[in-house]
Amino acid sequence: DFDTKLNVVDNNEFMIISDKFNKTVESIKRLDESRSQFVSNVSHELKTPITSMKILADSLVGQDNLPIEIYQEFMTDIASEIDRENEIITDLLDMVKMDKKTATLNYSSVDIKELIEQVLKRLTPIASEKNIELVFESFRPVVADIDEVKFGRAISNLVENAIKYNVMDGWVRVTLNSDHKFFYITINDSGIGIPAENIDRIFDRFYRVDKARDRETGGSGLGLSIVKNIIILHEGEIKVYSKEEEGTTFSVRVPLRVLKENENIEDTGFI
Ligand code: ADP
């Protein structure tokens, strides 16, 4: 009887250990799969513009007496594919730089209102192309310890998306607020929105809701994953709410200053 008991205990322990082992193997497998998925996504994304350029160039080669307008049109298309390739490579490099494991933040005390104003000023020309109104409401002065360049990049990506995925004559509204521990930025647009079934994936690398539609607007599908990395590096949070045909709101919450060891952030019930 004693022996059987021992056996049972051993057996249980064995089960626990083998369960742990299986879980570890599973997670290594998953990591490996996501890595090879990533490599295959990168190759695919980089190859697409090259394929288009090759087709465009091939159709010009060996054609004599083509009207100059056709040459110009094809060369313009080739140039825009080159821009696209460039954009993807820049985003990829940024993404690697912003990787949580390797990135370091260059903290300084920054006037967030001024930073947002600069971002909006830079994006005004692309907003005017679609006659989109950019509105900024700042409820109080906010000075925070952040990496100005990286954080500016995150806000810029969000506002750029709000313009890109908007309608003609639409609007983008940015707000800034703070309490004693955090500052809050919302970017709200009157755009096309994100379907509920896609919303969980928009921060994934290379994910685009509608490949065909999104291709026309340019972009690599890396923008939001870069944004998320930057916000997480700042120990902040980002959330998204969206309704198709109505618009999208991204809200960002970031601590006003870098936490010293032993300090705790109280949850203020940010939703
Ligand atoms: P990109 O803009 O380069 O495609 P992002 O990572 O910035 O990549 O965004 C991923 C996808 O999320 C976009 O392709 C688009 O479908 C969707 N998206 C992002 N921001 C918005 C927005 N403000 N309104 C509607 N859709 C958006």
Side-chain angles (χ1 to χ4, degrees), residues 29-164:
K29 257 197 211 158
R30 265 204 306 275
L31 198 70
D32 204 44
E33 271 163 24
S34 73
R35 193 166 298 155
S36 38
Q37 181 69 46
F38 177 66
V39 172
S40 100
N41 282 348
V42 170
S43 325
H44 174 81
E45 292 301 319
L46 290 175
K47 268 184 148 177
T48 312
I50 293 194
T51 311
S52 309
M53 284 187 260
K54 170 84 176 135
I55 294 169
L56 289 163
D58 276 351
S59 41
L60 289 183
V61 172
Q63 298 268 1
D64 21 60
N65 301 328
L66 271 184
I68 183 77
E69 296 80 39
I70 301 281
Y71 271 104
Q72 270 162 352
E73 191 189 321
F74 277 47
M75 289 318 271
T76 312
D77 288 347
I78 290 174
S80 72
E81 291 299 331
I82 293 174
D83 287 343
R84 198 173 141 62
E85 187 82 26
N86 204 7
E87 196 175 355
I88 297 170
I89 293 170
T90 311
D91 281 356
L92 268 171
L93 292 175
D94 269 355
M95 200 191 64
V96 175
K97 272 193 262 163
M98 306 299 178
D99 189 72
K100 201 166 170 10
K101 286 171 218 84
T102 50
T104 47
L105 292 187
N106 212 345
Y107 280 108
S108 65
S109 191
V110 176
D111 183 326
I112 307 293
K113 181 173 175 247
E114 266 176 29
L115 179 66
I116 295 177
E117 277 167 354
Q118 278 168 22
V119 168
L120 294 179
K121 194 171 163 211
R122 251 201 350 262
L123 295 175
T124 301
I126 62 163
S128 335
E129 279 174 16
K130 279 163 96 175
N131 196 28
I132 287 169
E133 189 190 6
L134 295 180
V135 186
F136 178 37
E137 273 178 58
S138 158
F139 296 100
R140 64 188 70 195
V142 177
V143 175
D145 285 342
I146 55 156
D147 183 315
E148 186 165 12
V149 174
K150 292 193 179 73
F151 196 80
R153 172 75 203 267
I155 299 306
S156 178
N157 278 2
L158 291 171
V159 178
E160 214 179 315
N161 278 349
I163 298 169
K164 246 171 36 178

Side-chain angles (χ1 to χ4, degrees), residues 91 157-158 161-162 164-165 189 192-194 202 204 207-210 213-214 218-225 242 248 250:
D91 281 356
N157 278 2
L158 291 171
N161 278 349
K164 246 171 36 178
Y165 303 106
D189 67 58
I192 55 176
I194 302 162
I202 57 163
D204 292 356
Y207 187 76
R208 315 193 77 196
V209 170
D210 178 339
R213 182 200 72 192
D214 293 345
S220 62
L222 288 170
L224 284 180
S225 76
S242 190
T248 304
F250 283 90

